[in-house]
Amino acid sequence: MNPVVYYVTLSKDSPKTLLTDKHLKFLLSYGSNDDEYDYCTTEYLRMSGMYWVLTALGLLGKVDEINKRQFMDFINACIDKETGGISASIGHDPHLLYTLSAVQIACILDAVSELPVDDIVNYVKSLQQPDGSFAGDKWGEIDTRFSFCAVACLSLLGRLDAIDIPKATEFVMKCQNFDGAFGSLPNSESHAGMVYCCIGFLSIIGELSRVDADYLGWWLCERQLPSGGLNGRPEKLPDVCYSWWVLASLTILGKSSWIDTSSLINYILATQDVESGGFADRPGDIPDPFHTLFGLTGLSLLKVPGLQKINPTYCMPQDVIERLRLRPQALS
């Protein structure tokens, strides 16, 4: 029986620079043909896909390349008139994940005034449970991802006061484990994606002092592998998306210097597709918008030239967050 290999070796032929023009072409062409297999099979997450593409374009300084009206018309068609929640695609059930994606899109496009804000706020509020946790939708799945989605969504709308913050915080802290990291539920396995959600949650509500930054930072920096890439939990392969979940968490905690930044940059650049553009999870795999966004956000956090600054808490261009803070009803 062959042993399991938990590392990835970079080829000497891997790209060493950011392929900006190819990525721009990849992003602008993605989803342009609704007869393509990928377009049909990703309908269930289309709203988030639009957010990934739009945010990636924002990091490249090319948001103006898209049709704003097309994005906002799609969001309007996905609003559930009964609950105020927003779905992944037309005819789907509303969900907190896609509600946040829609709010993020509207914020980036400076079109929050086109949203039914009160209805969205009531929808998010309706999903909070007696223990402070949040369900993702009416079917009742509980997850710390949804705690983050709730406070991020309400914060962007300037309406954090709509929910029970102390109860929500109590639930999130119950999901912290002995290693300092967080899981999706109390007593569930520590995972870098959940760490980002919980640290992002605490950052938004101003309660980062509840965690030991050194202890959690150590767990996060141990996610770096010999290839330079990061994984989400011990004994797993690196994946370029953790260039965001891990590095953003370290950045929020003020510990981003605890990893080897040059080797991480090399790993992220190696996941670029030199023919089509876009980033994949690992070198040589097929690129997609999800990993393209998180490859670019990771490089932005690492201050690679040619990219706009990303906000580590909201995963949105920093200039958008600054604009929102200037509103009469300021970002929380």
Side-chain angles (χ1 to χ4, degrees), residues 179-200:
D179 53 16
F182 292 80
S184 59
L185 294 166
N187 302 313
S188 62
E189 182 183 12
S190 294
H191 190 285
M194 306 310 164
V195 170
Y196 166 78
C197 290
C198 294
I199 293 302

PDB file of all heavy atoms in Angstrom, residues 179-200:
ATOM      1  N   ASP A 179      -7.167  23.787  20.803  1.00  0.00           N
ATOM      2  CA  ASP A 179      -5.993  24.242  20.055  1.00  0.00           C
ATOM      3  C   ASP A 179      -6.052  25.729  19.711  1.00  0.00           C
ATOM      4  O   ASP A 179      -5.171  26.262  19.043  1.00  0.00           O
ATOM      5  CB  ASP A 179      -5.813  23.416  18.776  1.00  0.00           C
ATOM      6  CG  ASP A 179      -7.066  23.371  17.901  1.00  0.00           C
ATOM      7  OD1 ASP A 179      -7.972  24.206  18.114  1.00  0.00           O
ATOM      8  OD2 ASP A 179      -7.133  22.511  17.004  1.00  0.00           O
ATOM      9  N   GLY A 180      -7.098  26.401  20.152  1.00  0.00           N
ATOM     10  CA  GLY A 180      -7.256  27.821  19.891  1.00  0.00           C
ATOM     11  C   GLY A 180      -8.044  28.144  18.646  1.00  0.00           C
ATOM     12  O   GLY A 180      -8.484  29.277  18.456  1.00  0.00           O
ATOM     13  N   ALA A 181      -8.222  27.152  17.773  1.00  0.00           N
ATOM     14  CA  ALA A 181      -8.946  27.351  16.516  1.00  0.00           C
ATOM     15  C   ALA A 181     -10.438  27.087  16.707  1.00  0.00           C
ATOM     16  O   ALA A 181     -10.890  26.732  17.804  1.00  0.00           O
ATOM     17  CB  ALA A 181      -8.363  26.460  15.431  1.00  0.00           C
ATOM     18  N   PHE A 182     -11.197  27.249  15.641  1.00  0.00           N
ATOM     19  CA  PHE A 182     -12.656  27.145  15.720  1.00  0.00           C
ATOM     20  C   PHE A 182     -13.191  26.094  14.747  1.00  0.00           C
ATOM     21  O   PHE A 182     -12.595  25.818  13.710  1.00  0.00           O
ATOM     22  CB  PHE A 182     -13.304  28.491  15.367  1.00  0.00           C
ATOM     23  CG  PHE A 182     -13.072  29.573  16.368  1.00  0.00           C
ATOM     24  CD1 PHE A 182     -11.884  30.289  16.394  1.00  0.00           C
ATOM     25  CD2 PHE A 182     -14.060  29.903  17.301  1.00  0.00           C
ATOM     26  CE1 PHE A 182     -11.669  31.304  17.313  1.00  0.00           C
ATOM     27  CE2 PHE A 182     -13.853  30.913  18.228  1.00  0.00           C
ATOM     28  CZ  PHE A 182     -12.657  31.614  18.237  1.00  0.00           C
ATOM     29  N   GLY A 183     -14.349  25.541  15.085  1.00  0.00           N
ATOM     30  CA  GLY A 183     -15.057  24.631  14.208  1.00  0.00           C
ATOM     31  C   GLY A 183     -16.397  25.207  13.799  1.00  0.00           C
ATOM     32  O   GLY A 183     -16.740  26.339  14.165  1.00  0.00           O
ATOM     33  N   SER A 184     -17.166  24.428  13.076  1.00  0.00           N
ATOM     34  CA  SER A 184     -18.458  24.902  12.581  1.00  0.00           C
ATOM     35  C   SER A 184     -19.540  24.881  13.654  1.00  0.00           C
ATOM     36  O   SER A 184     -20.525  25.609  13.574  1.00  0.00           O
ATOM     37  CB  SER A 184     -18.901  24.060  11.384  1.00  0.00           C
ATOM     38  OG  SER A 184     -19.002  22.693  11.758  1.00  0.00           O
ATOM     39  N   LEU A 185     -19.339  24.036  14.661  1.00  0.00           N
ATOM     40  CA  LEU A 185     -20.279  23.878  15.770  1.00  0.00           C
ATOM     41  C   LEU A 185     -19.473  23.599  17.039  1.00  0.00           C
ATOM     42  O   LEU A 185     -18.286  23.253  16.953  1.00  0.00           O
ATOM     43  CB  LEU A 185     -21.234  22.704  15.509  1.00  0.00           C
ATOM     44  CG  LEU A 185     -22.229  22.823  14.355  1.00  0.00           C
ATOM     45  CD1 LEU A 185     -22.832  21.450  14.048  1.00  0.00           C
ATOM     46  CD2 LEU A 185     -23.341  23.817  14.712  1.00  0.00           C
ATOM     47  N   PRO A 186     -20.064  23.698  18.212  1.00  0.00           N
ATOM     48  CA  PRO A 186     -19.333  23.306  19.414  1.00  0.00           C
ATOM     49  C   PRO A 186     -18.848  21.860  19.317  1.00  0.00           C
ATOM     50  O   PRO A 186     -19.592  20.972  18.882  1.00  0.00           O
ATOM     51  CB  PRO A 186     -20.384  23.463  20.523  1.00  0.00           C
ATOM     52  CG  PRO A 186     -21.301  24.531  20.012  1.00  0.00           C
ATOM     53  CD  PRO A 186     -21.382  24.282  18.530  1.00  0.00           C
ATOM     54  N   ASN A 187     -17.589  21.634  19.652  1.00  0.00           N
ATOM     55  CA  ASN A 187     -16.951  20.307  19.656  1.00  0.00           C
ATOM     56  C   ASN A 187     -16.679  19.747  18.261  1.00  0.00           C
ATOM     57  O   ASN A 187     -16.327  18.576  18.128  1.00  0.00           O
ATOM     58  CB  ASN A 187     -17.787  19.292  20.453  1.00  0.00           C
ATOM     59  CG  ASN A 187     -18.019  19.727  21.886  1.00  0.00           C
ATOM     60  OD1 ASN A 187     -17.086  20.148  22.565  1.00  0.00           O
ATOM     61  ND2 ASN A 187     -19.274  19.658  22.336  1.00  0.00           N
ATOM     62  N   SER A 188     -16.809  20.562  17.223  1.00  0.00           N
ATOM     63  CA  SER A 188     -16.481  20.092  15.875  1.00  0.00           C
ATOM     64  C   SER A 188     -15.027  20.412  15.560  1.00  0.00           C
ATOM     65  O   SER A 188     -14.387  21.229  16.220  1.00  0.00           O
ATOM     66  CB  SER A 188     -17.407  20.713  14.829  1.00  0.00           C
ATOM     67  OG  SER A 188     -17.263  22.114  14.801  1.00  0.00           O
ATOM     68  N   GLU A 189     -14.493  19.756  14.527  1.00  0.00           N
ATOM     69  CA  GLU A 189     -13.072  19.848  14.184  1.00  0.00           C
ATOM     70  C   GLU A 189     -12.654  21.273  13.813  1.00  0.00           C
ATOM     71  O   GLU A 189     -13.369  21.985  13.108  1.00  0.00           O
ATOM     72  CB  GLU A 189     -12.775  18.917  13.001  1.00  0.00           C
ATOM     73  CG  GLU A 189     -11.329  18.891  12.589  1.00  0.00           C
ATOM     74  CD  GLU A 189     -11.080  18.009  11.361  1.00  0.00           C
ATOM     75  OE1 GLU A 189     -12.065  17.602  10.710  1.00  0.00           O
ATOM     76  OE2 GLU A 189      -9.904  17.736  11.063  1.00  0.00           O
ATOM     77  N   SER A 190     -11.482  21.657  14.284  1.00  0.00           N
ATOM     78  CA  SER A 190     -10.930  22.962  13.914  1.00  0.00           C
ATOM     79  C   SER A 190     -10.652  23.009  12.423  1.00  0.00           C
ATOM     80  O   SER A 190     -10.153  22.037  11.840  1.00  0.00           O
ATOM     81  CB  SER A 190      -9.632  23.220  14.678  1.00  0.00           C
ATOM     82  OG  SER A 190      -9.872  23.341  16.055  1.00  0.00           O
ATOM     83  N   HIS A 191     -10.955  24.142  11.807  1.00  0.00           N
ATOM     84  CA  HIS A 191     -10.818  24.285  10.362  1.00  0.00           C
ATOM     85  C   HIS A 191     -10.528  25.754  10.060  1.00  0.00           C
ATOM     86  O   HIS A 191     -11.148  26.651  10.633  1.00  0.00           O
ATOM     87  CB  HIS A 191     -12.101  23.839   9.672  1.00  0.00           C
ATOM     88  CG  HIS A 191     -12.001  23.728   8.187  1.00  0.00           C
ATOM     89  ND1 HIS A 191     -11.984  24.826   7.355  1.00  0.00           N
ATOM     90  CD2 HIS A 191     -11.910  22.636   7.381  1.00  0.00           C
ATOM     91  CE1 HIS A 191     -11.895  24.415   6.096  1.00  0.00           C
ATOM     92  NE2 HIS A 191     -11.841  23.098   6.088  1.00  0.00           N
ATOM     93  N   ALA A 192      -9.577  25.998   9.155  1.00  0.00           N
ATOM     94  CA  ALA A 192      -9.162  27.369   8.859  1.00  0.00           C
ATOM     95  C   ALA A 192     -10.300  28.225   8.304  1.00  0.00           C
ATOM     96  O   ALA A 192     -10.360  29.431   8.563  1.00  0.00           O
ATOM     97  CB  ALA A 192      -7.996  27.365   7.880  1.00  0.00           C
ATOM     98  N   GLY A 193     -11.192  27.613   7.546  1.00  0.00           N
ATOM     99  CA  GLY A 193     -12.329  28.374   7.026  1.00  0.00           C
ATOM    100  C   GLY A 193     -13.223  28.874   8.146  1.00  0.00           C
ATOM    101  O   GLY A 193     -13.728  30.005   8.112  1.00  0.00           O
ATOM    102  N   MET A 194     -13.426  28.031   9.155  1.00  0.00           N
ATOM    103  CA  MET A 194     -14.243  28.430  10.302  1.00  0.00           C
ATOM    104  C   MET A 194     -13.498  29.426  11.183  1.00  0.00           C
ATOM    105  O   MET A 194     -14.118  30.312  11.799  1.00  0.00           O
ATOM    106  CB  MET A 194     -14.655  27.203  11.116  1.00  0.00           C
ATOM    107  CG  MET A 194     -15.333  26.124  10.300  1.00  0.00           C
ATOM    108  SD  MET A 194     -16.693  26.780   9.278  1.00  0.00           S
ATOM    109  CE  MET A 194     -16.912  25.416   8.135  1.00  0.00           C
ATOM    110  N   VAL A 195     -12.172  29.294  11.255  1.00  0.00           N
ATOM    111  CA  VAL A 195     -11.392  30.284  11.993  1.00  0.00           C
ATOM    112  C   VAL A 195     -11.617  31.668  11.388  1.00  0.00           C
ATOM    113  O   VAL A 195     -11.870  32.648  12.099  1.00  0.00           O
ATOM    114  CB  VAL A 195      -9.886  29.932  11.974  1.00  0.00           C
ATOM    115  CG1 VAL A 195      -9.054  31.097  12.523  1.00  0.00           C
ATOM    116  CG2 VAL A 195      -9.623  28.677  12.785  1.00  0.00           C
ATOM    117  N   TYR A 196     -11.528  31.751  10.050  1.00  0.00           N
ATOM    118  CA  TYR A 196     -11.758  33.047   9.395  1.00  0.00           C
ATOM    119  C   TYR A 196     -13.147  33.583   9.739  1.00  0.00           C
ATOM    120  O   TYR A 196     -13.302  34.776  10.048  1.00  0.00           O
ATOM    121  CB  TYR A 196     -11.624  32.908   7.877  1.00  0.00           C
ATOM    122  CG  TYR A 196     -12.174  34.119   7.140  1.00  0.00           C
ATOM    123  CD1 TYR A 196     -11.446  35.297   7.066  1.00  0.00           C
ATOM    124  CD2 TYR A 196     -13.451  34.083   6.563  1.00  0.00           C
ATOM    125  CE1 TYR A 196     -11.964  36.425   6.423  1.00  0.00           C
ATOM    126  CE2 TYR A 196     -13.974  35.191   5.933  1.00  0.00           C
ATOM    127  CZ  TYR A 196     -13.222  36.360   5.858  1.00  0.00           C
ATOM    128  OH  TYR A 196     -13.748  37.466   5.242  1.00  0.00           O
ATOM    129  N   CYS A 197     -14.169  32.724   9.672  1.00  0.00           N
ATOM    130  CA  CYS A 197     -15.532  33.182   9.946  1.00  0.00           C
ATOM    131  C   CYS A 197     -15.666  33.691  11.379  1.00  0.00           C
ATOM    132  O   CYS A 197     -16.282  34.730  11.627  1.00  0.00           O
ATOM    133  CB  CYS A 197     -16.521  32.051   9.693  1.00  0.00           C
ATOM    134  SG  CYS A 197     -16.707  31.626   7.950  1.00  0.00           S
ATOM    135  N   CYS A 198     -15.081  32.965  12.328  1.00  0.00           N
ATOM    136  CA  CYS A 198     -15.219  33.358  13.732  1.00  0.00           C
ATOM    137  C   CYS A 198     -14.368  34.583  14.066  1.00  0.00           C
ATOM    138  O   CYS A 198     -14.819  35.473  14.811  1.00  0.00           O
ATOM    139  CB  CYS A 198     -14.850  32.178  14.630  1.00  0.00           C
ATOM    140  SG  CYS A 198     -16.014  30.795  14.488  1.00  0.00           S
ATOM    141  N   ILE A 199     -13.153  34.646  13.519  1.00  0.00           N
ATOM    142  CA  ILE A 199     -12.309  35.822  13.742  1.00  0.00           C
ATOM    143  C   ILE A 199     -12.906  37.039  13.028  1.00  0.00           C
ATOM    144  O   ILE A 199     -12.893  38.157  13.558  1.00  0.00           O
ATOM    145  CB  ILE A 199     -10.869  35.550  13.264  1.00  0.00           C
ATOM    146  CG1 ILE A 199     -10.223  34.485  14.135  1.00  0.00           C
ATOM    147  CG2 ILE A 199     -10.029  36.823  13.295  1.00  0.00           C
ATOM    148  CD1 ILE A 199     -10.180  34.833  15.609  1.00  0.00           C
ATOM    149  N   GLY A 200     -13.436  36.816  11.831  1.00  0.00           N
ATOM    150  CA  GLY A 200     -14.114  37.903  11.123  1.00  0.00           C
ATOM    151  C   GLY A 200     -15.318  38.405  11.905  1.00  0.00           C
ATOM    152  O   GLY A 200     -15.550  39.614  12.003  1.00  0.00           O
TER     153      GLY A 200
END
